[in-house]
Each structure stands twice: as C-alpha cells, then as structure tokens.
Amino acid sequence: VATAARTQVAIIGGGPAGLLLSHILHRNGVDSIVLERQSRAHVLGRIRAGVLEAGTVALLREVGLGARMDREGHPHDGSAIAWEGRPRFFIDTQKFTGKRMMAYGQTAITEDLYAARDTAGGEVIDEADKVQLHALTARRPHVTYTKQGASRRIDCDYVAGCDGFHGVSRASIPASVLKTYEKSYPFGWLGVLSETPPYPDLCYCYHSRGFALASMRTPLLSRYYIQCELDARLEDWPDERFWQEFKARCPPEMAERIVTGPSIEKSIAPLRSFVAEPMQYGTLFLAGDAAHIVPPTGAKGLNLAVSDVFYLSRALIESCRSGKTHYLERYSDMALRRVWASARISWWLTMLLHRFPDETPFEERMRFDQFDYLRASEHAQASLAEQYVGLPFEA
Ligand code: APR
Ligand code: PHB
C-alpha cells in the first residue's frame, strides 16, 4: 500500500516554473508539494539562459526574490545587433518603453528559489521516479510516484504540470484533446560559459559565417554562443576553435575586446518552436516548457515560464481561497496569448539573425532589408523594443 499525502496543488517538476509556482502559492496560503525527477544537484548544475524581461524582474521583486538579483544582476537598457558590413544597431528598451532589462542567470534564480522554499519549509521531493497523474477529469485527482523504490501517492485538488518539454504532464493529456504546433530550425547553438569579464553589451551578431551572441552572467562570468550545424559534436569544438570562430563572426573592433579563457561549460542545443493547446485538461494545468518551447533567440523561454506562473498562481489562489474559478477557466486562453506573442518574436529574431543553409538569394536580401528597415524606422524600433522588453501581463 502506498504512503499517502494530501496537498492542495501537486506540482510536477522542480525547475523555475514549478519552484516559483510553489513559492507564490505558499505566500498566499496555498500549500503544494513539488515532485522533481532529478537530484537537486543536477537541477542546480544546469546552465540556461539569463536575460529577464522588465515584468519578470518586477514580479521576482514583488514576491521577495529580488535581493540577490538586484545585488548581482546586471541591469541594462537593451541589446545591440552587430551586422556584418553594416553599422551597429541598438534595441533601446529604455528609450522606447522606459523599461530596463536584467542579465541574471536562470541557474542563480533556481538557487534563490530553492533557498526560499527551504526557508519556508516547503516540500520539494527530488529523485521522484515514475510520476503518474490520475483521475485528472475527476473532482479529486491524485499523483503517484516512487521514491527510493517505495510507492507513494499524493491526493490533491489541482495538478500543475511544470515538468518541461519531456515531462509526463503534457503526455497525460489525450492526444485527441491537444493540438500542437511545431517548427524546427536547421541549426543549433553551441554555448560556452567562461570565467572572463564579459563584453559590456549583450550583442547579437549576424554574419555570413553564421550567428553569434555575446552575453553575460556576472562581472567575471561570460556566456557566448555561435550558430552550429545540427550534427555538430562537442569534441570537434575545443575552446580555441570556438573563440576563433566567435571572433570571426563579430565586427573587428568587437572581436578585439573579447576576453577569452578556458570554458567551464560547453553545450549544444537544437533550436525549436513548439506550442501545445490548450494548457489545461480537467484539473491539470501546464506551465513553462511543459507547454511550449521557443528558440533561445530573444531569451523568451524563462520569461514565458514566469508569465504562465503569474497567471496560474493567481487562478489557483483565487480558486483555493474563494472557490471562484474566473481566472482558472481563462488560464489557458490568457497564458496562450502571451505564449504566441513570444513564439512569434523569438521566431522572427531567429529568422532575422541566422544563416539558413538552403536559403535563396532572394530570401537573404529580404533579411538584409528587414534589418535596414529596422535601423531606419523609429516605428520598427519601438515595436521590437516593446516585444523584447516583454508585453505586459493581462489584468
Ligand atoms: N517527473 C518529475 N519531474 C520531471 C519529470 C517527471 N516525469 N520530467 C521532467 N521533470 C523535471 C525536470 O528534471 C526539470 O527539473 O521538470 C523540470 C522542468 O524544468 P525546466 O525544463 O527548466 O522547465 P521550466 O521550469 O518550465 O523552466 C522554464 O524555459 O526556455 C526555458 O531554459 C528555460 O528551463 C527554462 C524554462
Ligand atoms: C543568454 O545569456 O544565455 C542569452 C541571452 C540572450 C538570448 C539568449 C540567451 O537571446
């Protein structure tokens, strides 16, 4: 017989989405249990993106998670685009929206979230195996899993599926209910983390050799990426080759200022756009990568997880406190409006800034013109800045 527990919200996945949801629910008197498949060390060891929209920054502050971010994060007024053979361009979020962004790593946010859950005595069960969701369309769903070989069960009112793209939550929704949209891109990003002072601006580089990006984590920690082939292998990319290729893709005056050093992490990720609709099935609600994937261009992934959690926490708190389901019923539609907006801008930036292996000369010229128009038009700049800094949350 399984050991049973009871909570209001069973949260599947202890990444940023699941932990933030659990944290906000707790602050509002709603209890939850987080089930994470991996060990905590594994979750904290993952290197992911690190640019926060203005709304993400405001929300983290509002829920008591701003202290370290404000100490260690790097606020900035936008990002640069360096285009081979053309003058540099700046996406000026401060000028066009009055809002700033923040470079602060997802790894650090995850650390802050675990610390906050620990301080509050929150229950985050790691190394939870074989998580399964049951009776999702009944009034009382439940979740089963095994921990160190022993079966356990959690009875709950709601299940939050925050278990990422490969999780069990989305897979628990009947295929007939779910509509999915997908696009894969014919390249990946090779990323390097190095303990070197970063280039001062976050800078996206378009080059005929392929895309490159200079980003930062702290004054002594830099993050760099280059577009690579889908079948690229890490062993073919020693540090020296990476730096050489990176510098070849940025303007000479920028390349000169890049401080190189040994990498402390190196990884390859394919680029993909994916959206699943709806984000609800009975008492199950999806949030974050469990429901959608955006290509990293524009750094929308983590910010979307945060906006999903904003909408979902508001809905669950309302329901658990008052029994009203106004927001719960609208969760999927509301969250998806922002999801599609971010899906579009990350797709657009991906199409703009990368070399496509089989593109025609016409398509290439369209991209050049897109960039020239952006540089010439204040309206185009305002539009990009508004989307880059992040659209507001709906009331
Ligand atoms: N059972 C329990 N946990 C699971 C399961 C499962 N079957 N499958 C996956 N998980 C866990 C993963 O180990 C991971 O820790 O769910 C967590 C999901 O976390 P993320 O993949 O980080 O997704 P999310 O929390 O939605 O974070 C937002 O946006 O673009 C991205 O890089 C960004 O990871 C970030 C994400
Ligand atoms: C990052 O710092 O990892 C980063 C920054 C900007 C992006 C994507 C990733 O668009």
Side-chain angles (χ1 to χ4, degrees), residues 261-310:
S263 65
I264 57 171
E265 194 262 357
K266 198 184 278 165
S267 54
I268 294 177
L271 270 67
R272 170 191 355 236
S273 297
F274 174 88
V275 180
E277 298 183 332
M279 288 169 67
Q280 174 190 6
Y281 175 67
T283 52
L284 167 67
F285 296 84
L286 303 179
D289 280 13
H292 40 74
I293 294 289
V294 289
T297 333
K300 291 299 179 198
L302 173 65
N303 292 293
L304 262 193
V306 170
S307 73
D308 288 352
V309 167
F310 168 78

Side-chain angles (χ1 to χ4, degrees), residues 12-18 35-38 43 46 48-49 106 128 131 162-168 287-290 301-302 305:
I12 317 304
L35 289 179
E36 165 58 50
R37 181 171 56 186
Q38 304 285 353
V43 173
R46 292 193 293 229
R48 298 274 179 84
Q106 181 178 321
V131 171
C162 304
D163 46 354
F165 186 64
H166 300 287
V168 66
D289 280 13
L302 173 65

Side-chain angles (χ1 to χ4, degrees), residues 148-350:
Q148 287 157 346
S151 330
R152 299 194 188 174
R153 167 179 171 135
I154 300 174
D155 293 293
C156 55
D157 299 323
Y158 297 109
V159 180
C162 304
D163 46 354
F165 186 64
H166 300 287
V168 66
S169 299
R170 192 181 68 254
S172 305
I173 302 178
S176 59
V177 173
L178 217 53
K179 177 140 180 67
T180 61
Y181 301 82
E182 192 159 11
K183 176 177 174 66
S184 32
Y185 302 88
F187 41 74
W189 277 17
L190 168 59
V192 154
L193 194 66
S194 77
E195 286 172 323
T196 48
Y199 185 70
D201 282 331
L202 204 144
C203 189
Y204 298 88
C205 303
Y206 173 83
H207 195 276
S208 48
R209 299 179 72 95
F211 167 83
L213 167 61
S215 183
M216 69 271 292
R217 291 292 176 271
T218 69
L220 257 176
L221 195 57
S222 309
R223 183 72 166 155
Y224 295 99
Y225 300 94
I226 56 173
Q227 173 183 352
C228 64
E229 311 260 309
L230 270 179
D231 59 0
R233 298 177 323 165
L234 285 176
E235 54 270 36
D236 295 331
W237 283 97
D239 290 353
E240 201 175 324
R241 181 176 176 210
F242 177 87
W243 291 121
Q244 198 179 16
E245 185 59 33
F246 182 86
K247 288 181 172 191
R249 297 180 185 192
C250 38
E253 68 281 5
M254 177 177 169
E256 262 170 38
R257 295 180 62 188
I258 300 294
V259 183
T260 62
S263 65
I264 57 171
E265 194 262 357
K266 198 184 278 165
S267 54
I268 294 177
L271 270 67
R272 170 191 355 236
S273 297
F274 174 88
V275 180
E277 298 183 332
M279 288 169 67
Q280 174 190 6
Y281 175 67
T283 52
L284 167 67
F285 296 84
L286 303 179
D289 280 13
H292 40 74
I293 294 289
V294 289
T297 333
K300 291 299 179 198
L302 173 65
N303 292 293
L304 262 193
V306 170
S307 73
D308 288 352
V309 167
F310 168 78
Y311 290 130
L312 183 55
S313 61
R314 180 170 68 181
L316 291 171
I317 291 161
E318 180 196 50
S319 169
C320 289
R321 275 190 182 165
S322 69
K324 291 201 188 101
T325 54
H326 172 89
Y327 281 122
L328 220 41
E329 285 160 27
R330 285 160 186 77
Y331 169 67
S332 178
D333 286 346
M334 251 188 204
L336 278 165
R337 279 192 282 273
R338 229 171 161 284
V339 167
W340 279 112
S342 294
R344 185 173 51 74
I345 193 64
S346 55
W347 161 81
W348 187 80
L349 283 167
T350 301

Side-chain angles (χ1 to χ4, degrees), residues 49-82:
V51 179
L52 308 184
E53 294 177 350
T56 299
V57 172
L59 179 77
L60 291 176
R61 284 187 188 134
E62 210 173 287
V63 300
L65 292 165
R68 181 174 165 216
M69 172 182 75
D70 283 322
R71 240 181 7 255
E72 298 179 14
H74 173 68
H76 57 88
D77 298 341
S79 299
I81 300 179

